[in-house]
Amino acid sequence: MPSYANESKRQRELGELLDPATTALLTVECQQGVVGPDSALPELAEAARSSGALANVARLVAAAHTSGVQVLHAVAERRPDGRGANHNARLFRAAARLPVRQLTGTAAVRVAPPIEVAREDLVVRRLHGLSPLAGTDVDALLRNLGCRTLIVVGVSANVAVPNAVFDAVNLGYRVVVPGDAIAGVPSDYTPAMIRHTLALVATVATTGEVLACIERAARRT
């Protein structure tokens, strides 16, 4: 009898989406200047840590490294002179005035612990905009890797994560969002946004469900 005979319908559906050979994991702005102890956005950093979202991102990255799922880290940064950066929204103007700035080459734009970056991971940096996909190399890299499903995790549930999900869907990818591996502010906004927005276009799961699927698939190969 096939090994999947006792799996639930939910497990089978996720298993079909999360084939390690065609799945990639995208971490969004999980950098020290955003979610680290010296964050430019301490409320967001606290939400990411106290909710367990950052720890869950680290668990997913570790599992991806051992199961053959490609990991990409999307990092937002800016040049010290600000060239090429957006100025057309309040968010950009406020960020330019923060005491901690996401400057190229500084500790602020390094991926934050406890997430580990492996040699085979891809780090994609952007100097402009709100999306990890629009105007970056992410789409081309995913297509070259044969990716069909993108797991999106990180921050924030307010801006960058929804941008990533919508852009990925518009580009034809299937998207899985582990709801307990993203964070935003205030804390009660994240579950509402997941339920009323992301669930309309992506498959929402838990970190545990995603881990179980990719680990099970890795054992079968």
Side-chain angles (χ1 to χ4, degrees), residues 5 39 85 87 91 103 106-107 112 121 143 151 158-159 214:
S39 170
H87 305 281
L91 178 64
L103 298 181
T106 67
D121 292 1
R143 293 187 188 282
I151 305 168
N158 305 77
V159 179
I214 62 177

Side-chain angles (χ1 to χ4, degrees), residues 5-65:
N6 294 323
E7 293 178 3
S8 68
K9 180 181 178 182
R10 168 74 168 177
Q11 289 173 322
R12 289 196 299 273
E13 289 174 347
L14 275 174
E16 291 171 0
L17 285 173
L18 298 173
D19 177 357
T22 57
T23 298
L25 171 65
L26 178 70
T27 75
V28 179
E29 296 184 20
C30 292
Q31 57 203 74
Q32 293 192 37
V34 176
V35 296
D38 298 318
S39 170
L41 303 164
E43 186 180 359
L44 177 59
E46 171 61 22
R49 292 178 177 275
S50 64
S51 68
L54 190 62
N56 284 334
V57 173
R59 292 171 63 203
L60 288 161
V61 169
H65 288 159

Side-chain angles (χ1 to χ4, degrees), residues 209-221:
E209 287 177 322
V210 173
L211 288 173
C213 281
I214 62 177
E215 289 168 354
R216 188 182 305 113
R219 288 195 296 268
R220 288 176 182 160
T221 58

Side-chain angles (χ1 to χ4, degrees), residues 44-118:
L44 177 59
E46 171 61 22
R49 292 178 177 275
S50 64
S51 68
L54 190 62
N56 284 334
V57 173
R59 292 171 63 203
L60 288 161
V61 169
H65 288 159
T66 60
S67 63
V69 172
Q70 178 66 53
V71 178
L72 296 89
H73 303 281
V75 174
E77 60 183 51
R78 61 184 289 129
R79 289 167 48 112
D81 61 10
R83 286 185 181 272
N86 288 67
H87 305 281
N88 58 333
R90 290 175 57 198
L91 178 64
F92 301 123
R93 296 191 292 273
R97 296 192 298 268
L98 291 172
V100 177
R101 301 171 67 198
Q102 315 301 318
L103 298 181
T104 301
T106 67
V109 297
R110 295 176 190 159
V111 175
I115 301 167
E116 295 188 0
V117 180

